[in-house]
Amino acid sequence: MDSKSLVLVALFTAIIVVLGLIPPIMVAVIPVPIHAQSLGVLLAGIVLGARHGALSVLLLIALVAIGLPVLSGGRGGLSVFLSPTAGYLLGYLPAAWMTGWAADRVHDLPIRGWKVLAGLLAAAILGVLITHVVGIAWLIAYVGLSPLEAIVGDLIFVPGDLVKAALAAYVGRIIHENFGRRLIAS
Amino acid sequence: MDIVFANASAKFANRNVLEPLSIRLTEHRIGIIGLNGSGKSTFARMINGLVFPHAGSVVTNGFETRQDAERVRSIVGYIFQNPANQIVLPVVRDDIALGMKRLRLGTREVEQRVSDVLARLGIGHLAERRAHELSGGEVQLVALAAVLATSPDIVIMDEPTNQLDLRNRNMVTRTIRDLVEDVIVVTHDLALLANFDRVLLFHEGRILADGAAENVIARYEELVQ
Amino acid sequence: MTAAPGTVLERLPATTKLAALFCISVLLFLTTSPSLLGAAAGAILVACLLLCREALVQWLKAWPLLLTIGIFALWKAFADGYHEALVLLLRLGTLSLVATVVTVTTSIRQFIDTITRLARPLEKLGIGNAHDIGLAIGLVMRLIPDVRQRYLAVVDAHRARGLPLRPSTLFVPMIIGMLKGADDMANAIDARGIRADTRTEKKVGHG
């Protein structure tokens, strides 16, 4: 891995952490405050691609494991992996990978303008989907909720995450327009 | 120092940034001046192999920059324009120690060298400071300390006083003046070059003037009229 | 967040502690009896009081996590009855405490060394270099305050001009600015020879 990729991976991990430090905001009808942290995860996938986006998340997970308070709310340490919502953190990893993979496919296609935006949105929504699937699976397996209970509980967070997906696609497209594929030498 | 450019040129995106150049640098302190885009930074970067010549060769203290890239980098210390970006670890002391990792020294010696180099530049009190807490001048000196800790033969500084206030600028100027290592400074700050042995003036990818500081600076001021 | 150096738990290798955490997790999931789980919880609580009081403090300090567990237990109580709720409470509560013990009695250096060792097999898969892990972690810690400062600066600039905070005007300048700095940092890492022994040189020369 060349040094530029290494620094970019670390940079996006830092971005994910800082987005978790931003105070959560209340949006319209959604009854829970939205943390910007998962936005960082989607951005990592879209901007860096599958491999390096996933490495950014892996680095984040390593920081949490080490005990540093890098998750939204200042959470950190191994106890995070044993909490009811650990699935969402672990789900970030395949989510970043898949979003990155899908974004790479979008960028390979000979399309421009709103089509790229739509493609990136699809990539981001894919990431959100994966995160929630893993989160729900964890709720069922580890916490012992029934599938129905888990899905219902999870649903509250979906609208907020869809907003973040749109944001990630939007920002990702602008960055791609400015930097193109020159960002990463995979 | 003994730096030889043999018909070396540099291109960027099919544009000639530096025209083919043959020159030999042997002085102790060399200044490099010129307008933005004149090729002066590229010239400096070719000395330690950050940029390879498109044609021709650059040999620094006996090592060719492309073939012996690692050797060249180990004998030349480079301070970038934004030195904050070359401090790689959060705590000053750790960053300086990291730069010495390739020297494979024992822990105790590393610690000693860190203390020594910080004391030498008068910034011992910054050892435990975090990089983002440092002032512009302090960042410059910490970056310099990290470079000096690896005992380079030549130190290249790219616009060291660029964004500093007067006090920090004086601090850095004094420090550069007191360096025993060979020094190459790219700068807009003409006062910095007061006691330099040789100054090169770059313009549009070529050397327009080369010689004693006062003469070359006068030529530069003519150019800027 | 580490306890005083030299205690019994701290001298244990990190991998041992992680393996113990894993085994305890498995054991606690093998039983659904509240009394057994309660006994285990009690035993671990006592062990903490004796061997690692700091872990108890940190565990309590992370009250959002405990609150989350409590909320899920409450849900369980309404949905499936008190028995299930108690099992949940005891299991997750105990496991989070044990995990906290491991975190508190292991230094950052030990964690990094352990992760580096565990990552060696990944090297064979060509994912990266194990030595880079320590550097990557250091880089993140170095960059977090910079990213945060840049975020605050962009927000301030918006406020000063009375502009509404929109994602395009916030995130885009933030990220683009940082990408330039990343370039410099990568060059500096190479120029300072920080990764000199971890990979072969591969460089294309152009301005």
Side-chain angles (χ1 to χ4, degrees):
Chain A
M1 186 186 312
D2 67 349
S3 298
K4 180 143 185 228
S5 303
L6 184 62
V7 175
L8 284 174
V9 166
L11 176 60
F12 270 83
T13 305
I15 289 175
I16 295 173
V17 172
V18 171
L19 286 178
L21 294 175
I22 298 175
I25 54 171
M26 302 293 299
V27 174
V29 270
I30 306 167
V32 271
I34 300 184
H35 286 283
Q37 192 149 60
S38 51
L39 171 61
V41 174
L42 297 173
L43 275 174
I46 289 179
V47 176
L48 299 182
R51 181 160 161 237
H52 294 94
L55 282 173
S56 272
V57 173
L58 199 56
L59 195 51
L60 175 77
I61 292 176
L63 289 175
V64 174
I66 288 176
L68 300 167
V70 291
L71 291 184
S72 49
R75 291 175 294 141
L78 289 170
S79 52
V80 169
F81 296 98
L82 292 155
S83 83
T85 51
Y88 294 95
L89 172 62
L90 296 172
Y92 281 162
L93 190 57
W97 177 278
M98 284 310 304
T99 296
W101 179 87
D104 285 340
R105 299 286 78 73
V106 168
H107 287 134
D108 284 340
L109 294 173
I111 55 176
R112 292 169 55 80
W114 69 268
K115 289 190 190 156
V116 173
L117 189 60
L120 291 181
L121 181 60
I125 290 178
L126 180 60
V128 170
L129 201 69
I130 292 174
T131 308
H132 284 257
V133 164
V134 177
I136 289 173
W138 183 265
L139 287 175
I140 297 173
Y142 184 72
V143 182
L145 295 185
S146 78
L148 187 63
E149 291 170 335
I151 292 177
V152 166
D154 173 81
L155 236 40
I156 312 176
F157 300 96
V158 170
D161 278 358
L162 289 178
V163 168
K164 285 179 242 172
L167 265 171
Y170 183 63
V171 174
R173 177 170 152 265
I174 296 182
I175 292 184
H176 179 69
E177 265 168 34
N178 279 292
F179 286 86
R181 290 273 106 223
R182 284 176 286 148
L183 261 189
I184 286 282
S186 294
Chain B
M1 68 173 88
D2 189 1
I3 301 170
V4 178
F5 277 63
N7 239 351
S9 62
K11 263 172 144 53
F12 183 64
N14 286 326
R15 187 172 56 92
N16 278 345
V17 177
L18 206 65
E19 301 295 336
L21 176 60
S22 293
I23 192 172
R24 185 164 183 204
L25 307 173
T26 55
E27 287 74 9
H28 175 49
R29 306 146 80 78
I30 298 184
I32 302 182
I33 61 179
L35 300 169
N36 289 334
S38 57
K40 62 186 197 303
S41 276
T42 306
F43 177 74
R45 284 166 167 233
M46 290 173 82
I47 294 175
N48 84 324
L50 273 175
V51 171
F52 292 149
H54 180 75
S57 71
V58 178
V59 178
T60 300
N61 282 16
F63 297 111
E64 205 265 325
T65 60
R66 202 195 290 259
Q67 279 161 2
D68 293 315
E70 234 174 90
R71 287 291 206 82
V72 169
R73 293 210 206 119
S74 67
I75 60 169
V76 179
Y78 198 105
I79 315 285
F80 291 78
Q81 266 192 42
N82 275 330
N85 289 331
Q86 72 187 81
I87 300 175
V88 153
L89 291 186
V91 177
V92 166
R93 172 190 295 280
D94 296 334
D95 182 74
I96 298 177
L98 181 67
M100 288 193 264
K101 203 171 73 151
R102 61 177 165 83
L103 300 176
R104 295 179 204 271
L105 304 169
T107 321
R108 211 164 294 269
E109 192 179 342
V110 167
E111 281 174 18
Q112 188 61 50
R113 277 220 201 179
V114 170
S115 305
D116 288 347
V117 77
L118 288 174
R120 179 179 162 194
L121 298 182
I123 50 173
H125 59 288
L126 297 180
E128 302 299 329
R129 226 41 105 64
R130 310 218 134 219
H132 68 278
E133 294 169 349
L134 301 171
S135 76
E138 290 172 342
V139 161
Q140 227 12 283
L141 294 181
V142 166
L144 182 58
V147 155
L148 291 176
T150 60
S151 308
D153 299 331
I154 305 171
V155 176
I156 303 179
M157 302 182 81
D158 198 342
E159 313 221 15
T161 55
N162 206 10
Q163 288 164 345
L164 302 183
D165 63 22
L166 192 56
R167 181 165 67 165
N168 281 322
R169 195 186 305 169
N170 288 341
M171 181 166 63
V172 172
T173 305
R174 248 196 326 260
T175 306
I176 294 176
R177 196 194 52 207
D178 295 338
L179 287 177
V180 296
E181 289 83 356
D182 287 337
V183 162
I184 298 175
V185 178
V186 177
T187 186
H188 287 295
D189 182 356
L190 303 176
L192 195 54
L193 305 174
N195 293 312
F196 275 50
D197 306 311
R198 181 178 178 186
V199 175
L200 305 174
L201 168 62
F202 276 80
H203 187 61
E204 291 174 353
R206 292 191 173 78
I207 295 184
L208 199 58
D210 174 0
E214 318 91 61
N215 303 339
V216 178
I217 290 177
R219 185 78 182 80
Y220 184 42
E221 280 164 0
E222 247 174 70
L223 184 69
V224 173
Q225 294 311 339
Chain C
M1 205 155 91
T2 37
T7 66
V8 171
L9 290 173
E10 277 164 346
R11 275 181 265 127
L12 280 176
T15 29
T16 309
K17 285 182 270 193
L18 289 170
L21 175 59
F22 181 72
C23 290
I24 296 177
S25 309
V26 171
L27 285 174
L28 290 186
F29 268 89
L30 285 178
T31 172
T32 50
S33 143
S35 30
L36 268 179
L37 289 172
I44 289 175
L45 210 60
V46 168
C48 268
L49 279 168
L50 292 175
L51 293 173
C52 188
R53 230 166 272 164
E54 178 64 21
L56 267 173
V57 172
Q58 292 300 330
W59 183 67
L60 290 171
K61 270 196 189 161
W63 59 265
L65 170 58
L66 300 177
L67 186 63
T68 309
I69 297 176
I71 291 175
F72 277 96
L74 219 58
W75 179 321
K76 265 282 172 176
F78 281 116
D80 300 324
Y82 290 112
H83 184 270
E84 299 277 345
L86 202 55
V87 167
L88 176 68
L89 208 59
L90 289 171
R91 243 188 223 151
L92 264 55
T94 310
L95 283 177
S96 54
L97 178 56
V98 177
T100 309
V101 170
V102 179
T103 299
V104 159
T105 59
T106 313
S107 75
I108 291 184
R109 180 82 260 158
Q110 278 178 293
F111 264 121
I112 294 179
D113 289 342
T114 304
I115 293 176
T116 305
R117 230 177 313 131
L118 291 174
R120 286 270 160 71
L122 287 181
E123 269 186 4
K124 308 275 169 59
L125 293 175
I127 292 192
N129 194 294
H131 274 287
D132 285 337
I133 291 177
L135 177 59
I137 291 174
L139 279 172
V140 179
M141 303 312 296
R142 165 75 184 90
L143 291 170
I144 288 174
D146 281 6
V147 173
R148 187 163 170 274
Q149 271 173 3
R150 189 170 288 267
Y151 163 76
L152 290 174
V154 174
V155 170
D156 275 346
H158 274 75
R159 287 227 190 92
R161 293 202 240 134
L163 294 170
L165 211 57
R166 279 168 33 236
S168 57
T169 55
L170 170 58
F171 291 114
V172 176
M174 208 177 115
I175 292 182
I176 289 186
M178 309 239 57
L179 289 175
K180 176 66 176 60
D183 229 340
D184 289 345
M185 198 166 267
N187 279 336
I189 288 175
D190 290 338
R192 292 176 63 189
I194 286 174
R195 296 170 76 217
D197 54 339
T198 64
R199 82 226 197 284
T200 47
E201 292 283 320
K202 205 183 1 167
K203 176 104 177 265
V204 183
H206 265 305

